[in-house]
């Protein structure tokens, strides 16, 4: 996943390159969930998927 022009490979990279606009875009297009699964953060990926489904219902 890219953020601020850098390739992210773990959560530390995400924190270091954090950009809210890009994070929200990645969240809504599903890229964040894929990234979290890829780095082994399966529980966080599942929670983001569930939260997205709930928020889209409102």
């Amino acid at each position: 996943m890219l953020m601020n022009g850098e390739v992210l490979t773990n959560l530390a990279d995400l924190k270091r390159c954090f950009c809210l606009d890009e994070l929200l875009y990645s969240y809504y297009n599903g890229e964040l969930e894929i990234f979290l699964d890829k780095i082994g953060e399966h529980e966080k990926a599942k929670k983001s998927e569930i939260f997205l489904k709930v928020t889209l219902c409102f």
Side-chain angles (χ1 to χ4, degrees):
M1 186 169 99
L2 284 174
M3 188 167 289
N4 280 332
E6 294 193 36
V7 177
L8 307 180
T9 58
N10 55 44
L11 289 179
D13 289 345
L14 178 64
K15 290 176 185 176
R16 182 175 47 80
C17 300
F18 184 79
C19 175
L20 183 58
D21 291 339
E22 291 184 34
L23 181 69
L24 289 174
Y25 180 79
S26 296
Y27 171 72
Y28 282 111
N29 73 13
E31 188 179 6
L32 179 61
E33 182 185 345
I34 293 167
F35 168 72
L36 291 170
D37 260 339
K38 189 175 183 179
I39 65 168
E41 295 288 344
H42 306 293
E43 187 175 322
K44 287 179 176 60
K46 188 67 175 172
K47 286 179 181 179
S48 72
E49 175 191 11
I50 292 168
F51 186 74
L52 180 60
K53 288 179 181 176
V54 170
T55 57
L56 290 178
C57 291
F58 292 104

